[in-house]
Structure formats: structure tokens, C-alpha cells
Amino acid sequence: MLALSFPHLSTDRIARRRWGPSWRSNGRPEASPIVCSGKLNNAMRLTALDELAETLGLRKEQGVAEARAMYPALDVVDEDIAADRRLLEAIADWCDRYTPLVALDGKEGLFLDITGCAHLFGGEKALLKDILSRLFHMGLDAQGAISSSPGLSWAMSRFGQGGVVEDEETERVLMPLPIAALRLEGQTADALKKLGLKYIGDVIHAPRAPLTRRFGPELLLRLDQALGHEEEPVSPRRPIASLSSERRLVEPIGTEEQVLAITSQIAVSLKPSLEARGAGGRVFELVLFRVDGRVFRIAVGASRPLREPRLIAGLFSERLQVIYDDIDAGYGFDILRLNVLRHDPFDEAQADFEGDRQGEVSLSAFIDRVSARLGADCLQSFQLRESHVPERAVITIPAIDSLSRRRKTEQGSSLPFREERPLRLFATPEPVETVLAEVPDGPPQIFRWRRMQHQLAKSEGPERIAMEWWIDGSDAEARDYFRIEDEAGHRYWIYRRGFYGQEVDPRWFMHGVFA
């Protein structure tokens, strides 16, 4: 586990904006110390300092007025927590080039699970040296440590010398670290210091029962996590791809044609892995790593599982034609990665001689191309829900998902198709005026709707639908639906709410029309 900490993240962000990303490589210009200020305990205090301010003796949570009195030339900038968060997330995106398992750690840190990745960069020491060197040239002050547990890596990156810690060295390197390196709450750490237990070595071999009674279970839990005796889950910030392949380029590329050509090559390398699983990709993600550290992610979906490189590249071709002008290639991309975020079993059944499946394949290709170009929500379809109330019985979903669900349903049990429902259902039922109907449960013989009078010719019903008491309340009135046809041949779906003979006369509503 690799832990990275950025002790001067806020001031590095300001320095990068003022002097450029390579300001650390070129040397710090002669300028006033930079500090950030924010409101803390109803007073303006220092929340972040750069290295120069720290050498002057300033400290965090010091009053701004006191700091200005000590150094009038101090450059005080208002803190921007959202901008710091965006920068940290951008760094996390950049770290994806080392491992896809990257997690945020508070406001100024990252965790990288580099299990099985270190040998690609020449080993753990070479990987750590490479990542710290690159971050330095990007204008960021970073400290890192690698060990077998997140707690130990965190402690060494913030309170130790960093580097790579072997398993047999765990206890030795932990003992001289301050008690705050165990990530304890402030009250627990203060109580330990008052008793003279200032270092981890003071508690690592102490009797555990008295420590638990005095300070609670958190102290020993954090200690065991740092020693590697207790597992500590670290959740990646992005979904883990089921399959992934990438290309690292000697010369960066920047044109759309070059990106598509490399994407096709990567898709070819993914095909054997998909075939080995008997699966096809449903959601693909193309990750473009720019040479200066910025990362672009482009995702496309498919209505049916795909493994053919030509079809996968075609989806990205449609998407890039729309968004590539908004992507700033800068000095080019040096790493391209193709992820399979979702896959389904691949149907290898051969089409019959009559070509019955050709229409389905053509429809899937059309939906995929349009969704890739205009977005997954541009084409909508309907899906049944478990509800008898007509306006809640169906929901709209992207057509790219609807086609795959319908295919699964056809392979299993078929969904009920209700011919008695109208083709067009109104979102809000419209009131019907001057209804002349048979009492008590007859259809409307004459009714007026949208300022036109209609005479009944044929009718079917009633179909009584009770409302859902857990949504509409226990006093919600039931509906009696009728399918009626007027003398002009127009067919309607009309319902009565309420019953004749009650204190309030029932009302009629138009809910839909048939084709």
C-alpha cells in the first residue's frame, strides 16, 4: 500500500497558478510567503502555509492579525476548500497510471493499492521514486511511503522518513514516531500525552487491558492496523474495471485519428480476454493520460455484449466526433487505456438462414451509434413496474438498457402485453365535462371533452383499479375504467372516480387514447 501526503497542497495550488506547474523545478521566485486564511472559532486564522512561511515560525491556526503583525509583507489568500478538493481529485486521476485502485485520504492524502503493479515500474523503490519525482516537476510537494498496511504507510508518509518499509521492520520504524501517527482522535491523543505517552514505543508493549479501559478500543485498533495485525479496507474512488488494457507511447499523440487507431489496437488485445470469459463488454471507458498530468475519460455503452474491435472502435469514433473539439490535447497523450466497466455473457448463437436476427442486430447498432453520439438518454423506452395504477405502471429508461433487458426477458418468461391499454397515456388525466351515463356502473353515453361532444357507439368495462394506500392514502377513491368508441370511430380510455349515490357526485377523466 502506497500512501501519499501533500502537506502544502493549498499553497502549491496557488503557486502553480501564479508561477506555472514547473515552479519547483525552476526555483521559487523571490516573493512573499504565501498563507491561506479561513474562519475558525469565529476568528480569521491561518489554515495553510508554504515552506517559506513555516521557516519564519508561523503555524497553523495562528491568528491572521498576529501573523501580519509579525510579517507585514505576508501574502494572505482566502482558503478555497473546493479548489483544493478538485486538485486532489486531479492528482488521483493522474495516479491511475500506476494503479486503478486509488482512494482519497482526507483533504491532503491518497492511498494507492500497488499490489501486482510495482514490477511494471522496476520495483517498489523505483515506483516511489518515479511518482515523487513526477509530482515534484508538477509543482507539488509530496511525501510517500510503501508498506504492507495502510496505517503504517500513512504514519511513515506524514511523520517518518517515507520510503519502503519491509515487514520485518514494522515495529522498529513505528516506535520512534509520535502518538499522533496512529490517526487517533484529538482527545485521545491529548490524554496520552498528558500521561507522558508521547511516542508509539511507549504503548506498543504496554499491557492492553488497562489501555482499553482508560482510552477505549480505538487506540489498540489503530495500533494493530499500523502493525498489520488488523485488516483495514480502502475503497477505491472509481469502479474497478473487470478488464483493462493500455498502451504506453514513446511519442505522444494528439489527433483524433491517432487516438482512434490506438484504441482499435487496444480493443484487439482485449478480445482474447473477453473470449476466455465467454463475455462481451457492455460499458467501455477510454482513459487518455496527457503528458502534463491531466486525464480525460470517455465512456460509451452498448445495447448488446460486444467483443469485436471494429464495433468497439466505432462507438468511440461516434463519441469523439462530438466531444473531441472540447478535449485539449495539449502536448499530446502518452498513455491510452481501455477499460471494460461492465460485461455480460456473449450470445454466440448463429443466425438462421431467414435472417430473423438481422433486424435485432441492426436496431442494436443504430441505438448504440445514436447513444454514443448524443448520450444514453437521447433514446428512451418503457419498462413495466409492479403497480396497477396506470401512470405508475411503466417508467422510461434509456433504450440502450431496454434492448438488453428485453432480450433477457425473451430468453426467460415473457412480460405480459396488455392490449387493453391505450397507445398514448396522458401524463395528467384531463377532466371530462357534461357526462350522461347509465347509473350506477354504466359507461358514459354522451360526454364533452376538449369542447367537442362525443356520442357512444361501443364500450367495454368497467375495470376497477384501486389506488395504492401506502402512497395515495387510505381514503383514495378507486377508479372504474372504460374503453369506449364514439360514432366517428375514435377510441378513448376514460374512467370514473367515485360512485353514484354518494354525497359527492363522481367525476370523469380522460386518461388516454388508442391508435
Side-chain angles (χ1 to χ4, degrees):
M1 187 68 66
L2 167 60
L4 291 174
S5 66
F6 304 91
H8 305 101
L9 183 69
S10 300
T11 54
D12 284 347
R13 171 180 57 82
I14 299 171
R16 280 164 49 91
R17 187 180 68 245
R18 292 182 179 180
W19 305 320
S22 58
W23 71 275
R24 287 189 177 274
S25 303
N26 300 331
R28 189 185 192 280
E30 292 188 5
S32 301
I34 300 176
V35 297
C36 294
S37 65
K39 195 170 185 179
L40 182 63
N41 297 330
N42 295 324
M44 296 302 296
R45 300 183 180 275
L46 302 184
T47 59
L49 300 85
D50 66 358
E51 294 96 321
L52 183 56
E54 291 176 345
T55 59
L56 297 177
L58 300 177
R59 63 185 186 279
K60 289 185 178 181
E61 300 186 4
Q62 185 179 7
V64 175
E66 180 184 355
R68 285 189 181 276
M70 296 172 60
Y71 302 99
L74 199 64
D75 188 357
V76 182
V77 182
D78 292 337
E79 68 174 355
D80 191 341
I81 299 177
D84 294 342
R85 181 73 173 188
R86 289 193 298 268
L87 176 59
L88 185 62
E89 291 181 349
I91 299 172
D93 281 336
W94 176 83
C95 289
D96 280 353
R97 65 180 57 221
Y98 296 96
T99 173
L101 305 178
V102 181
L104 299 178
D105 175 32
K107 299 180 179 179
E108 298 178 346
L110 296 174
F111 278 127
L112 282 71
D113 188 346
I114 59 173
T115 305
C117 302
H119 70 281
L120 301 175
F121 302 91
E124 295 176 348
K125 293 183 179 180
L127 186 151
L128 181 59
K129 181 180 179 181
D130 181 70
I131 192 171
L132 294 180
S133 175
R134 287 174 178 265
L135 290 172
F136 176 82
H137 290 290
M138 291 165 58
L140 298 169
D141 179 26
Q143 300 174 6
I146 297 177
S147 72
S148 58
S149 67
L152 179 57
S153 299
W154 189 93
M156 291 299 297
S157 65
R158 287 165 171 78
F159 298 92
Q161 300 297 322
V164 179
V165 181
E166 302 296 339
D167 292 343
E168 59 272 11
E169 301 177 346
T170 299
E171 186 173 320
R172 181 183 62 81
V173 299
L174 270 177
M175 294 181 66
L177 299 182
I179 201 68
L182 292 180
R183 298 174 294 172
L184 300 173
E185 294 183 357
Q187 295 180 352
T188 304
D190 293 341
L192 287 166
K193 291 178 181 179
K194 289 180 181 179
L195 294 178
L197 304 176
K198 299 180 180 180
Y199 300 96
I200 297 178
D202 299 333
V203 298
I204 196 170
H205 295 302
R208 294 194 159 216
L211 291 176
T212 303
R213 287 195 300 268
R214 183 68 180 269
F215 303 104
E218 182 194 10
L219 172 60
L220 296 183
L221 174 62
R222 290 300 191 184
L223 181 60
D224 288 339
Q225 288 177 346
L227 292 171
H229 299 163
E230 287 285 344
E231 294 289 338
E232 181 179 358
V234 176
S235 301
R237 55 189 293 268
R238 292 189 174 275
I240 302 175
S242 55
L243 286 173
S244 181
S245 182
E246 68 179 33
R247 288 289 184 275
R248 294 178 178 267
L249 308 176
V250 178
E251 292 291 336
I253 61 175
T255 66
E256 180 181 346
E257 292 77 12
Q258 292 173 328
V259 170
L260 287 175
I262 300 298
T263 303
S264 300
Q265 297 177 14
I266 303 175
V268 171
S269 64
L270 276 179
K271 185 177 181 180
S273 300
L274 290 171
E275 291 176 343
R277 297 191 178 196
R282 286 288 313 282
V283 179
F284 300 90
E285 181 187 49
L286 179 63
V287 188
L288 307 175
F289 293 87
R290 206 167 65 180
V291 293
D292 63 348
R294 189 170 179 185
V295 180
F296 298 90
R297 299 178 183 273
I298 306 169
V300 296
S303 58
R304 56 193 176 94
L306 298 180
R307 65 169 61 151
E308 184 62 36
R310 175 181 57 84
L311 299 178
I312 298 173
L315 294 180
F316 283 106
S317 176
E318 296 288 344
R319 188 61 181 160
L320 287 173
Q321 289 182 20
V322 178
I323 67 171
Y324 197 79
D325 290 340
D326 298 329
I327 297 177
D328 183 10
Y331 292 104
F333 307 107
D334 59 345
I335 300 177
L336 278 74
R337 179 181 300 162
L338 183 59
N339 296 328
V340 181
L341 299 182
R342 176 184 168 191
H343 67 275
D344 287 340
F346 189 81
D347 183 12
E348 300 187 19
Q350 182 177 354
D352 54 25
F353 290 104
E354 296 180 359
D356 290 342
R357 298 186 62 195
Q358 186 60 36
E360 180 184 351
V361 173
S362 299
L363 177 61
S364 298
F366 169 76
I367 292 176
D368 293 348
R369 291 182 61 185
V370 175
S371 300
R373 179 178 285 268
L374 303 178
D377 296 333
C378 66
L379 296 177
Q380 297 286 325
S381 183
F382 297 100
Q383 181 184 7
L384 295 178
R385 295 181 61 194
E386 294 182 356
S387 176
H388 293 290
V389 181
E391 56 265 33
R392 301 176 188 146
V394 294
I395 57 173
T396 58
I397 61 173
I400 197 170
D401 294 329
S402 169
L403 198 61
S404 63
R405 295 182 184 182
R406 187 180 69 179
R407 188 181 300 109
K408 293 179 180 179
T409 303
E410 291 174 353
Q411 295 173 357
S413 59
S414 59
L415 289 174
F417 178 70
R418 309 192 66 174
E419 297 182 351
E420 66 271 15
R421 294 295 183 255
L423 182 64
R424 181 185 178 189
L425 189 72
F426 298 150
T428 302
E430 299 182 5
V432 176
E433 304 172 354
T434 61
V435 177
L436 179 62
E438 297 180 1
V439 177
D441 295 324
Q445 301 295 324
I446 300 175
F447 63 93
R448 183 179 180 82
W449 176 57
R450 292 185 177 179
R451 294 184 291 184
M452 292 186 62
Q453 186 166 311
H454 302 268
Q455 180 74 34
L456 176 69
K458 299 179 182 178
S459 69
E460 292 179 298
E463 176 190 358
R464 181 161 296 177
I465 297 179
M467 304 304 291
E468 297 168 339
W469 59 265
W470 57 92
I471 297 178
D472 305 294
S474 58
D475 56 346
E477 297 177 319
R479 301 175 181 177
D480 283 349
Y481 279 87
F482 295 88
R483 297 180 297 277
I484 62 177
E485 181 178 334
D486 63 7
E487 294 179 340
H490 301 145
R491 302 184 65 225
Y492 306 97
W493 204 37
I494 192 172
Y495 72 86
R496 181 186 66 240
R497 190 171 68 187
F499 304 99
Y500 288 102
Q502 297 180 348
E503 296 181 0
V504 180
D505 291 335
R507 290 175 294 173
W508 292 82
F509 295 88
M510 184 69 66
H511 205 168
V513 294
F514 294 87

